[in-house]
Tab-separated table of all heavy atoms in Angstrom:
chain	number	residue	atom	x	y	z
A	188	GLY	N	40.542	173.309	231.583
A	188	GLY	CA	41.327	172.083	231.526
A	188	GLY	C	40.548	170.826	231.763
A	188	GLY	O	40.716	169.803	231.069
A	189	ASP	N	39.640	170.832	232.730
A	189	ASP	CA	38.885	169.621	233.067
A	189	ASP	C	37.937	169.224	231.928
A	189	ASP	O	37.862	168.023	231.588
A	189	ASP	CB	38.113	169.809	234.346
A	189	ASP	CG	39.003	169.911	235.576
A	189	ASP	OD1	40.182	169.489	235.462
A	189	ASP	OD2	38.519	170.445	236.608
A	190	ARG	N	37.215	170.168	231.394
A	190	ARG	CA	36.288	169.862	230.321
A	190	ARG	C	37.035	169.456	229.041
A	190	ARG	O	36.611	168.532	228.324
A	190	ARG	CB	35.394	171.090	229.985
A	190	ARG	CG	34.366	171.368	231.088
A	190	ARG	CD	33.629	172.651	230.811
A	190	ARG	NE	32.684	172.517	229.701
A	190	ARG	CZ	32.057	173.523	229.134
A	190	ARG	NH1	32.246	174.790	229.587
A	190	ARG	NH2	31.174	173.337	228.181
A	191	LEU	N	38.167	170.071	228.760
A	191	LEU	CA	38.959	169.720	227.574
A	191	LEU	C	39.494	168.306	227.737
A	191	LEU	O	39.363	167.497	226.784
A	191	LEU	CB	40.115	170.676	227.404
A	191	LEU	CG	41.074	170.404	226.224
A	191	LEU	CD1	40.314	170.348	224.926
A	191	LEU	CD2	42.190	171.431	226.199
A	192	ALA	N	40.041	167.971	228.892
A	192	ALA	CA	40.477	166.607	229.131
A	192	ALA	C	39.346	165.603	229.021
A	192	ALA	O	39.537	164.517	228.453
A	192	ALA	CB	41.136	166.494	230.514
A	193	GLY	N	38.159	165.975	229.492
A	193	GLY	CA	37.004	165.103	229.396
A	193	GLY	C	36.606	164.850	227.950
A	193	GLY	O	36.182	163.754	227.579
A	194	ILE	N	36.681	165.901	227.139
A	194	ILE	CA	36.370	165.710	225.700
A	194	ILE	C	37.316	164.723	225.041
A	194	ILE	O	36.895	163.823	224.323
A	194	ILE	CB	36.397	167.091	224.944
A	194	ILE	CG1	35.197	167.933	225.361
A	194	ILE	CG2	36.451	166.891	223.422
A	194	ILE	CD1	35.292	169.385	224.876
A	195	TYR	N	38.601	164.902	225.309
A	195	TYR	CA	39.559	164.009	224.715
A	195	TYR	C	39.345	162.543	225.205
A	195	TYR	O	39.445	161.607	224.418
A	195	TYR	CB	41.018	164.460	225.112
A	195	TYR	CG	41.474	165.687	224.338
A	195	TYR	CD1	42.560	166.456	224.808
A	195	TYR	CD2	40.836	166.085	223.188
A	195	TYR	CE1	42.982	167.555	224.150
A	195	TYR	CE2	41.313	167.204	222.497
A	195	TYR	CZ	42.375	167.968	222.972
A	195	TYR	OH	42.792	169.061	222.292
A	196	ARG	N	39.031	162.398	226.471
A	196	ARG	CA	38.828	161.053	226.994
A	196	ARG	C	37.571	160.434	226.407
A	196	ARG	O	37.501	159.234	226.152
A	196	ARG	CB	38.725	161.085	228.530
A	196	ARG	CG	40.041	161.430	229.172
A	196	ARG	CD	40.005	161.188	230.693
A	196	ARG	NE	41.314	161.592	231.317
A	196	ARG	CZ	41.495	162.700	231.985
A	196	ARG	NH1	40.470	163.533	232.184
A	196	ARG	NH2	42.672	162.959	232.527
A	197	ASP	N	36.514	161.269	226.177
A	197	ASP	CA	35.305	160.769	225.543
A	197	ASP	C	35.596	160.224	224.128
A	197	ASP	O	34.983	159.226	223.713
A	197	ASP	CB	34.239	161.867	225.422
A	197	ASP	CG	33.528	162.127	226.752
A	197	ASP	OD1	33.714	161.335	227.665
A	197	ASP	OD2	32.924	163.212	226.873
A	198	PHE	N	36.528	160.832	223.455
A	198	PHE	CA	36.924	160.357	222.097
A	198	PHE	C	37.876	159.177	222.144
A	198	PHE	O	38.334	158.679	221.103
A	198	PHE	CB	37.558	161.477	221.264
A	198	PHE	CG	36.576	162.344	220.581
A	198	PHE	CD1	36.159	163.560	221.077
A	198	PHE	CD2	36.026	161.912	219.359
A	198	PHE	CE1	35.240	164.340	220.424
A	198	PHE	CE2	35.110	162.713	218.667
A	198	PHE	CZ	34.708	163.902	219.199
A	199	GLY	N	38.205	158.670	223.355
A	199	GLY	CA	38.998	157.467	223.456
A	199	GLY	C	40.454	157.652	223.765
A	199	GLY	O	41.191	156.677	223.940
A	200	PHE	N	40.900	158.902	223.870
A	200	PHE	CA	42.294	159.190	224.188
A	200	PHE	C	42.550	158.937	225.657
A	200	PHE	O	41.724	159.246	226.519
A	200	PHE	CB	42.671	160.599	223.788
A	200	PHE	CG	42.463	160.846	222.320
A	200	PHE	CD1	41.378	161.608	221.882
A	200	PHE	CD2	43.339	160.366	221.372
A	200	PHE	CE1	41.189	161.847	220.529
A	200	PHE	CE2	43.127	160.603	220.033
A	200	PHE	CZ	42.048	161.343	219.576
A	201	GLY	N	43.721	158.386	225.981
A	201	GLY	CA	44.056	158.052	227.347
A	201	GLY	C	43.645	156.664	227.801
A	201	GLY	O	43.916	156.271	228.918
A	202	SER	N	43.052	155.899	226.887
A	202	SER	CA	42.710	154.489	227.225
A	202	SER	C	42.872	153.626	225.984
A	202	SER	O	42.776	154.116	224.840
A	202	SER	CB	41.280	154.408	227.721
A	202	SER	OG	40.347	154.892	226.758
A	203	ARG	N	43.121	152.387	226.188
A	203	ARG	CA	43.357	151.461	225.056
A	203	ARG	C	42.062	151.205	224.323
A	203	ARG	O	40.964	151.119	224.886
A	203	ARG	CB	43.922	150.137	225.565
A	203	ARG	CG	45.329	150.281	226.138
A	203	ARG	CD	45.872	148.941	226.681
A	203	ARG	NE	47.249	149.095	227.142
A	203	ARG	CZ	47.587	149.462	228.366
A	203	ARG	NH1	46.604	149.734	229.250
A	203	ARG	NH2	48.864	149.584	228.714
A	204	THR	N	42.170	150.969	222.987
A	204	THR	CA	40.966	150.741	222.195
A	204	THR	C	40.466	149.330	222.297
A	204	THR	O	39.307	149.072	222.021
A	204	THR	CB	41.280	151.028	220.687
A	204	THR	OG1	42.251	150.053	220.222
A	204	THR	CG2	41.878	152.431	220.496
A	205	GLY	N	41.354	148.403	222.722
A	205	GLY	CA	40.959	146.985	222.791
A	205	GLY	C	41.160	146.207	221.519
A	205	GLY	O	40.673	145.079	221.384
A	206	VAL	N	41.939	146.743	220.580
A	206	VAL	CA	42.219	146.052	219.343
A	206	VAL	C	43.016	144.757	219.631
A	206	VAL	O	43.724	144.678	220.601
A	206	VAL	CB	43.015	146.941	218.361
A	206	VAL	CG1	44.449	147.158	218.877
A	206	VAL	CG2	43.007	146.376	216.945
A	207	GLU	N	42.879	143.764	218.729
A	207	GLU	CA	43.450	142.425	219.003
A	207	GLU	C	44.946	142.377	218.686
A	207	GLU	O	45.402	141.504	217.961
A	207	GLU	CB	42.709	141.361	218.194
A	207	GLU	CG	41.197	141.322	218.380
A	207	GLU	CD	40.453	142.095	217.308
A	207	GLU	OE1	40.965	143.128	216.886
A	207	GLU	OE2	39.381	141.609	216.871
A	208	LEU	N	45.710	143.299	219.190
A	208	LEU	CA	47.163	143.321	218.999
A	208	LEU	C	47.874	143.520	220.303
A	208	LEU	O	47.354	144.308	221.145
A	208	LEU	CB	47.562	144.428	217.991
A	208	LEU	CG	47.289	144.125	216.512
A	208	LEU	CD1	47.518	145.399	215.682
A	208	LEU	CD2	48.189	143.020	216.007
A	209	PRO	N	49.015	142.907	220.513
A	209	PRO	CA	49.718	143.072	221.790
A	209	PRO	C	50.421	144.429	221.909
A	209	PRO	O	50.797	145.057	220.867
A	209	PRO	CB	50.747	141.929	221.782
A	209	PRO	CG	51.001	141.701	220.297
A	209	PRO	CD	49.722	141.958	219.600
A	210	GLY	N	50.649	144.886	223.099
A	210	GLY	CA	51.450	146.068	223.345
A	210	GLY	C	50.795	147.415	223.033
A	210	GLY	O	51.499	148.382	222.814
A	211	GLU	N	49.469	147.449	223.029
A	211	GLU	CA	48.784	148.704	222.692
A	211	GLU	C	49.065	149.766	223.763
A	211	GLU	O	48.982	149.516	224.934
A	211	GLU	CB	47.293	148.504	222.531
A	211	GLU	CG	46.574	149.807	222.102
A	211	GLU	CD	45.087	149.665	222.004
A	211	GLU	OE1	44.535	148.653	222.399
A	211	GLU	OE2	44.471	150.636	221.509
């Protein structure tokens, strides 16, 4: 579970991308 969650987070899941649009 921990390594799988880490892989997903490395790919950007679980955090905002920072795109210039409101409400992300």
Side-chain angles (χ1 to χ4, degrees):
D189 291 342
R190 290 174 71 189
L191 178 58
I194 288 170
Y195 286 161
R196 293 191 182 103
D197 284 345
F198 274 98
F200 301 103
S202 59
R203 294 179 176 87
T204 66
V206 70
E207 306 97 322
L208 283 171
E211 183 183 9

